[in-house]
Each structure stands twice: as structure tokens, then as C-alpha cells.
Amino acid sequence: MRFVRLGLLAALLALLAACGTTSKVQPGYYRVQSGDTLTQIARKQGTSVANLARWNNLSNTNAIEVGQMLRVAPPAGQASTSAPTQSRPKASGGSRAPATSMGKRRTAPPGAISLVWPAQGKVTRGYDGSGSNGIVIANTAGTPVVAAAAGTVAYSGSGLRGYGHLVIVKHNASFLSIYAHNSKLLVKEGQRVSQGQKIAEMGNSDSKQVGLYFELRYDGQAVDPAGSLPGR
């Protein structure tokens, strides 16, 4: 039981670190990712730390949090008054292009995990590593939601704001999967589930559209599930 609770705690911390990642990032804004500093963000956006601090009313430029939304373009009627922290490097053969505000697309190691589709339906939103750290599969209310891979249920409930009725399945030390906005939960914490086992029914909590929000995490980071899902 202690092992299950520790696994649950780790899963919840991972979710809290990604709070709000299902919402779309508006133009002119950037969502803070794990490992970001304000200096790095300023460099990526071609502006200065002073500008970011002023536009976001930051009294401490070292105090930014994962998931925090920052304005990276001047508000209407204002302009950048400080020089950029560092000019963008010119592209050259063999150099890596600078990251953009759309975020970094992360993938799991090839063959590290094999998934089945967690629900039938149309994919209406894909993973982009920033505005969406998972995918949305739309269908009718009550559509079966199944475990994408075998594992242990680390969480089953509705206590995490923004996820509705939620199931988290821990597959191993590296992988867990998230199934949000269900209408009905069919498993309990600590329960062992097999791949393809029905764990919930599709709903539309916190959304006008009936659909499952599905996320795959590798070592605590959301990754593009497309590389681990079979083709359709």
C-alpha cells in the first residue's frame, strides 16, 4: 500500500507541474517548461529579461514556475525598451535552430512502450509540446476508454482541477498515462489493469465537446504518444 501511495504522489506532482497544459497558448505568450529560466526564455523570444519582468510584473526574475504563462510580446501601446538579452544566432550548417514559443516536441525512446488506442474516435487535437501536452479523441458520451498499456491505477477521482473525472495508470518506473474528462470511472486506486481493459467512459467535463484527453508521460515529461500508438 505504501508503494501505491508513493506512486500516486509522484503522478500527482507530475500533473501539478503541468497544470493548465490542456489550454491553448495565445499568440504573444509562452508557457514555462521544465528547466526554463527567464534568461533562456528572453533569448528564445528575442527580447530582454527586463522586458519580460516589466510585462509580467515580476519582482523576482528567478521565481518562475513550470506551467506559468508569461507575456513575451509587449502589451498594446508599449514597446520593447531594452536590448535583447542575446541576439538570435544566424543559421549555419550543422547548427541547431533556436527553440520557439511553440515548445519542444518530446518523444519516448523508440520501442520503449507499445500502446493501444485508449478510445475510438476522431483525434481533434494533437500533441505540440506547449499548448497541448496530449491528444483529444472525440466521440459520443459513454464511449469506452481503455488502458493504453498494462499497469497499476495510481489515481482515480476528480480532485485535480481542470481534468474532470481522471484516471492515471502507472505502467513502470518510467511511463504513466493520463485519461481525463470521463463521465464515469470504472477502476480504483491500486487496481492492476491489463492493456485494452475498460477503465472509464468518455465524457465532456470542463468542455462543450465530448472527448477523452489522453497524455503519455516519460520520466515525468509529457511526450508525443503518436510514436507509441499503432497506425489507424
Side-chain angles (χ1 to χ4, degrees):
M1 195 64 189
R2 178 179 175 80
F3 172 78
V4 173
R5 285 293 171 187
L6 288 174
L8 171 59
L9 178 60
L12 293 182
L13 288 175
L15 273 180
L16 290 175
C19 179
T21 53
T22 59
S23 62
K24 185 177 180 180
V25 178
Q26 299 298 319
Y29 288 84
Y30 175 81
R31 192 187 306 283
V32 178
Q33 305 292 316
S34 177
D36 277 345
T37 67
L38 205 63
T39 299
Q40 291 171 336
I41 295 172
R43 184 180 301 118
K44 292 175 184 177
Q45 301 299 325
T47 186
S48 68
V49 170
N51 280 330
L52 294 182
R54 179 163 54 88
W55 296 337
N56 295 280
N57 297 316
L58 300 177
S59 58
N60 183 354
T61 56
N62 294 317
I64 58 173
E65 300 178 355
V66 173
Q68 181 178 352
M69 195 76 74
L70 295 177
R71 177 184 285 276
V72 294
Q78 294 188 30
S80 299
T81 58
S82 303
T85 302
Q86 180 177 327
S87 60
R88 294 177 181 266
K90 294 181 179 180
S92 59
S95 64
R96 185 166 56 184
T100 69
S101 59
M102 286 304 292
K104 180 180 180 181
R105 183 178 296 274
R106 299 183 178 90
T107 57
I113 191 170
S114 180
L115 306 177
V116 297
W117 282 91
Q120 295 298 313
K122 180 181 179 181
V123 176
T124 57
R125 176 183 288 185
Y127 169 98
D128 63 25
S130 179
S132 175
N133 276 348
I135 63 175
V136 175
I137 304 173
N139 208 324
T140 57
T143 296
V145 174
V146 304
T152 301
V153 178
Y155 182 82
S156 179
S158 55
L160 289 177
R161 184 179 179 182
Y163 290 89
H165 296 299
L166 168 72
V167 175
I168 301 174
V169 177
K170 185 174 179 63
H171 304 296
N172 52 41
S174 298
F175 285 98
L176 62 83
S177 53
I178 296 167
Y179 312 76
H181 305 309
N182 303 289
S183 62
K184 185 177 182 180
L185 304 180
L186 304 175
V187 290
K188 298 180 179 180
E189 292 174 20
Q191 181 178 338
R192 183 73 183 173
V193 295
S194 58
Q195 186 175 56
Q197 179 178 337
K198 185 177 178 181
I199 59 175
E201 293 180 357
M202 192 178 290
N204 66 336
S205 61
D206 300 328
S207 174
K208 295 180 180 180
Q209 179 188 52
V210 175
L212 169 72
Y213 174 74
F214 174 74
E215 190 174 305
L216 179 66
R217 288 190 163 246
Y218 174 71
D219 287 345
Q221 298 289 329
V223 296
D224 189 351
S228 303
L229 288 166
R232 281 186 159 180

